[in-house]
Amino acid sequence: MPRRRLTASEILTPEPISPMTAAEGLTLAPNPGLAERAAEAIVLGVASGALQPGQRLLEVELARLLQMSRVPLREALKILEAQGIVESAPHRGTRLATFDEARIDEICEARLALEKIAMRGAMEAYRREPALLLRLDKILTAMERAAAHMEWIEISKADLDFHREICRASGNAIVQKLWDALARHVLIVFGKEIRSERDAKAIVGQHRRLRDILAAGKAEALDEELDQHILRLQRRKGRNVR
Amino acid sequence: MPRRRLTASEILTPEPISPMTAAEGLTLAPNPGLAERAAEAIVLGVASGALQPGQRLLEVELARLLQMSRVPLREALKILEAQGIVESAPHRGTRLATFDEARIDEICEARLALEKIAMRGAMEAYRREPALLLRLDKILTAMERAAAHMEWIEISKADLDFHREICRASGNAIVQKLWDALARHVLIVFGKEIRSERDAKAIVGQHRRLRDILAAGKAEALDEELDQHILRLQRRKGRNVR
DNA sequence: CTCTGTAAGATTGTATACATTTATTATGTC
DNA sequence: GACATAATAAATGTATACAATCTTACAGAG
């Protein structure tokens, strides 16, 4: 009986396309498709102020600015629509969502709920496999470096990376997906914040504290810390925003 | 100074494209774009068993089956990827996600968190504007009609409509968006369930009870009822699924 | 026989071009 | 002059065609 030769896909992708557990810190390059990159560019554009909430997005113009065709750009808009970043009606065009204070409250509320789930799962994962904490430490180092130079975009990215890593560690694919969408809202909200040097240090400190709580497995301290961490934006309601 | 005549877009779309509050039960036709319809068709295909979880999706074949070009189909796949229904890697294709028991637990867990937020907001909305309850009643009537004939797909749709309406009533756009994604997972999970006539009646009863709790504004009874309602799927773990 | 390199086939990624719908402007009528 | 109607222009929706990439199969060297 001749043993059938394994095909390339059977070797590289055992079952799902993205192997959940790699040989420790080996993560097969994520999706750099043009559509996804365009979506990220649009979100960063809003966060940096180049695009304004509520603004109408013309496909031809955006495609020209991003130096691509309308096809991948439209795919990007579909992604962003599914995530709630833009709104569209058929034959009527697409425009950026608005981010008023009520919306910011909603974002924080949803975020809190999702992260509590993720944190619980992650705490269990870190207990079983403490080596995963190294990924958090790496992100924290990058965050500190960015904070030292007051590079707010980089700080925000590291902030979101931190929480994304926790979602990843939790192994909860659903929460991770929902949080990917929510993270884009959070990034935009971060962009609207006016923050000081003291804020930068506080942010790093908060994340270090979260990391330590996760490492120690103190479940009871987690919820309280999370509340304070995430509702920070809400407490500032009405001030310190552009 | 000549008064400038208002443009049509300024009259029809004051600020956001989708007006949050209409003249009571007047909802400007939602997005029937071809891409969105294709996405819905694919989800229904999984729910009905025509497509199997984990299956690879060939663009040309799917486009032929759905009688459309690859362009809107790809847009549909991007939407579904953002919602976690399919997974893809560039130049490697797209495949349906798998829905094992761990995944079902994740779905229920996330759903519970989101719906608790929505229910709280909706309860407040119903208190201010009891007329909104009529929309729930309408859905419940449809659900009962479907339950009488044991039309499970229709029951599931009414089930999701019920909860979508609650998200809508809550006015929380973020939760609504996240739940739209999650609802597709739930629909697929419903499709995997094997249910009896007793189940049909129980489902209708549970929703009627939820509706009454919302109408009465009994916040304390809500969480408990929700836990029982949503974790129903989880309690059946390991049995009654295909 | 196993491994490596190469070539053919298949599939996805992108760009261009056309059809449909909408929004604006212009025109005519009351 | 105000309103309704028709024509023009703009933008989106869709289809077709081409390019880049990957998978697979095959041949040859060790």
Side-chain angles (χ1 to χ4, degrees), chain B residues 174-186:
Chain B
I174 296 291
V175 166
Q176 192 174 349
K177 224 16 151 182
L178 295 179
W179 200 82
D180 280 344
L182 202 49
R184 298 201 148 149
H185 291 263
V186 175

Side-chain angles (χ1 to χ4, degrees), chain B residues 8 126 225:
Chain B
Y126 292 134
E225 186 72 22

Side-chain angles (χ1 to χ4, degrees), chain B residues 139-184:
Chain B
I139 294 170
L140 281 172
T141 303
M143 189 186 293
E144 270 187 333
R145 195 164 43 234
H149 299 79
M150 295 278 286
E151 296 162 347
W152 286 108
I153 292 282
E154 293 305 314
I155 295 176
S156 298
K157 280 187 182 176
D159 193 327
L160 297 181
D161 282 344
F162 181 90
H163 294 281
R164 192 189 316 274
E165 172 59 27
I166 286 173
C167 287
R168 203 187 88 88
S170 77
N172 191 322
I174 296 291
V175 166
Q176 192 174 349
K177 224 16 151 182
L178 295 179
W179 200 82
D180 280 344
L182 202 49
R184 298 201 148 149

Side-chain angles (χ1 to χ4, degrees), chain B residues 60-115:
Chain B
V60 282
E61 188 182 349
L62 261 182
R64 184 177 54 79
L65 287 172
L66 296 175
Q67 294 180 332
M68 65 179 69
S69 171
R70 275 181 56 215
V71 176
L73 176 69
R74 280 176 57 84
E75 294 176 353
L77 292 179
K78 291 294 183 185
I79 293 172
L80 294 178
E81 185 180 4
Q83 297 181 331
I85 304 293
V86 305
E87 302 171 355
S88 79
H91 292 284
R92 280 216 208 159
T94 304
R95 65 176 61 192
L96 285 168
T98 54
F99 294 87
D100 54 8
E101 300 201 354
R103 179 67 57 94
I104 293 176
D105 286 349
E106 295 173 7
I107 293 168
C108 291
E109 194 177 15
R111 185 185 171 187
L112 192 57
L114 288 182
E115 295 232 39

Side-chain angles (χ1 to χ4, degrees), chain A residues 8-9 57 59 70 74 90-91 93:
Chain A
S9 72
L57 300 179
E59 296 181 358
R70 275 180 57 216
R74 280 177 57 83
H91 291 285

Side-chain angles (χ1 to χ4, degrees), chain A residues 20 83 110-122 163-183, chain B residues 82-84 102-114 178 181-182 185:
Chain A
M20 293 296 287
Q83 296 181 330
R111 184 185 171 187
L112 192 57
L114 288 182
E115 296 232 39
K116 278 184 178 174
I117 297 174
M119 288 273 181
R120 273 189 274 275
H163 294 280
R164 192 190 315 274
E165 173 58 28
I166 286 173
C167 286
R168 204 187 87 90
S170 77
N172 190 323
I174 295 291
V175 166
Q176 192 174 348
K177 233 356 158 187
L178 295 179
W179 200 82
D180 281 344
L182 202 49
Chain B
Q83 297 181 331
R103 179 67 57 94
I104 293 176
D105 286 349
E106 295 173 7
I107 293 168
C108 291
E109 194 177 15
R111 185 185 171 187
L112 192 57
L114 288 182
L178 295 179
L182 202 49
H185 291 263

Side-chain angles (χ1 to χ4, degrees), chain A residues 145-165:
Chain A
R145 194 164 43 234
H149 300 79
M150 296 279 286
E151 295 163 347
W152 285 108
I153 292 282
E154 292 305 313
I155 295 176
S156 297
K157 281 187 181 176
D159 192 328
L160 296 182
D161 282 344
F162 182 90
H163 294 280
R164 192 190 315 274
E165 173 58 28

Side-chain angles (χ1 to χ4, degrees), chain A residues 41-52:
Chain A
I42 291 172
V43 172
L44 284 175
V46 184
S48 67
L51 297 173
Q52 292 196 349

